[in-house]
Amino acid sequence: MARISLSFIFIALLALVAADISITTLDPWGELGKIGLGLLTTDLLSLPDFGSAILNTISFALLGISIAVVLGSLLSLVYELMIVRLFCSFIRSIHELFWAFIFMPLVGLNSLCGILAIAIPYSGIFAKVYAEIRQESDRQPYEALPPDSSRLSSFLFATLPVIYRDLKNYTSYRFECALRSSAILGFIGLPTLGYHLETAFREGLYSQATALLYIFYLLIASIHLWARARFIFVLIVAACWYTSWDMTFSSQNIIRFFTYDILPWPMKADGYYAGTLAITFPIAETFQWAVHVLKTQVLPGAWNTLVLTQIALVCTGLFALLSFPFASTAFYRRRTTWFMHTLLIVCRTTPEYIIAYIFLTLWGPSMLPAIVALFLHNGAILSYLTARNSNQMEIPFDGPISRIDRFCYEVLPRCYGQFLAFLFYRWEIIMRESAILGILGVTTLGYYVDNAISNDHLDVAALIIVVTALLTMAIDRISNSLRKRYKISGVRFEQAR
């Protein structure tokens, strides 16, 4: 494990040489002071339509997650099939914002776009985790069933009662994630909290921006009060009633999108200029188009995405290792751990996209805001989990007395394997997030997707999104191989959160 850790640090140092981490704003400290002042002078009363933004954020998340639960449950029943695993891996490798970009030309920028952008990737996530929970469940109840029990009866009477609590807890956690996803969908124009947050930051209205952040934290912190399982159907009905379904939906748009819009430009150029929308198959021109897109957009975007991912991954690990002792009762008293836990909750509750946007306002468009946002958000999650692991350790009565010795010789050696497993699990997610942060101006794959969408080059956008998904799947594959090779535990990381 030491060798793999040092290898990742070495790669991150090399990536740091190639990374753009410049600060381009003229007065970052002055802007930071204004944001700090906004934190102290929160202005709730002047927020325009924040009530509808909150309700839209909740309804998009609730309806999206409801669809995902249904689809994910069905897919989990046949998750053993290779084609299903690949399909689920592919759809969850594409970020919600990219899915929104895909659905925009199909259904328009409306409620359905936001709901589907959450539902599709979450279906893939639910399918994987639900299947893992089912496979790892206690098999003893099967022994009580009659030998000729059907597969459905076995599931309903022997499996579901055993795994119901795990399914419920995990779905509840994912609903919190869906609220974060729903909020950041506002950054591309959907009427959720992110829309008002982006407007407030762009116009320098930091008192309003911090008020929106406080509202978001309150929304997340109060989930256990208003999103209870017994009320869930009432909430879903209320969300359906509140959601605006006023949209133009055309099957012709869908057919045209998949059979024409995303095809390479050389295949449709002649038909476009002739006004017939006919498709041709010029192999040489299509090959040249693909090479041109690869050289000018895909490869630079992929390189920058990987550079950002590797730096952010190592920074995430270092941040978690340095911060978790302050949240652990193995090192500090409850007052210190409570304060650290509060900071960690704020960092992991705030979507990395919003953190990156704030630092981008301070430092300008480079990889630096993205790196900080990624390691703060992901590092806070890892720090919380590692601190929780260390809290469960029994420190010998003759163990090291000083905190540094206890950290180096007692706690870290015992929790490092689990920590590394958690970090590798975040690798795929950091990769997804690195790509999407390009929308903010960092030249990762998201930057080129955003440009292609803005210029109505859907063929280029589709190609880059597919490459992004394949890269994420490759990272996930490597991560799985490393965990198996080094026999690092932590398979049910998603449940641990």
Side-chain angles (χ1 to χ4, degrees), residues 270-443:
D270 292 342
Y272 176 83
Y273 290 122
T276 60
L277 301 185
I279 298 170
T280 57
F281 297 95
I283 296 175
E285 287 85 351
T286 303
F287 179 74
Q288 289 175 358
W289 171 87
V291 170
H292 176 73
V293 174
L294 284 171
K295 286 174 67 177
T296 58
Q297 301 185 58
V298 173
L299 291 179
W303 169 255
N304 287 329
T305 304
L306 289 171
V307 165
L308 176 57
T309 300
Q310 293 312 115
I311 298 173
L313 181 73
V314 171
C315 289
T316 296
L318 293 175
F319 176 79
L321 285 178
L322 293 175
S323 62
F324 92 82
F326 297 96
S328 169
T329 53
F331 296 94
Y332 288 94
R333 294 182 183 276
R334 189 164 296 278
R335 184 178 298 176
T336 305
T337 59
W338 178 87
F339 180 73
M340 193 63 198
H341 267 297
T342 304
L343 286 179
L344 294 177
I345 288 171
V346 170
C347 287
R348 68 192 178 102
T349 300
T350 311
E352 60 282 6
Y353 194 87
I354 293 177
I355 301 176
Y357 190 87
I358 294 171
F359 282 109
L360 208 70
T361 306
L362 293 175
W363 298 332
S366 75
M367 284 191 185
L368 186 59
I371 292 169
V372 174
L374 288 169
F375 84 67
L376 280 180
H377 177 77
N378 293 289
I381 295 172
L382 260 66
S383 182
Y384 163 75
L385 293 173
T386 311
R388 195 173 68 176
N389 277 351
S390 66
N391 287 342
Q392 295 169 353
M393 292 179 186
E394 290 187 8
I395 307 296
F397 71 92
D398 58 346
I401 296 176
S402 78
R403 293 192 181 103
I404 293 178
D405 288 346
R406 196 179 307 162
F407 177 80
C408 295
Y409 302 115
E410 184 65 39
V411 176
L412 189 59
R414 291 167 64 184
C415 70
Y416 192 71
Q418 196 77 16
F419 161 80
L420 217 51
F422 290 162
L423 184 62
F424 285 151
Y425 258 98
R426 295 304 296 183
W427 194 8
E428 173 201 355
I429 297 168
I430 291 174
M431 172 77 195
R432 264 183 12 126
E433 294 164 349
S434 297
I436 204 67
L437 290 179
I439 296 174
L440 294 176
V442 186
T443 53

Side-chain angles (χ1 to χ4, degrees), residues 235-252:
L235 290 172
I236 291 172
V237 171
C240 288
W241 173 80
Y242 179 78
T243 301
S244 171
W245 301 104
D246 184 17
M247 61 192 75
T248 304
F249 186 76
S250 169
S251 59
Q252 290 182 342

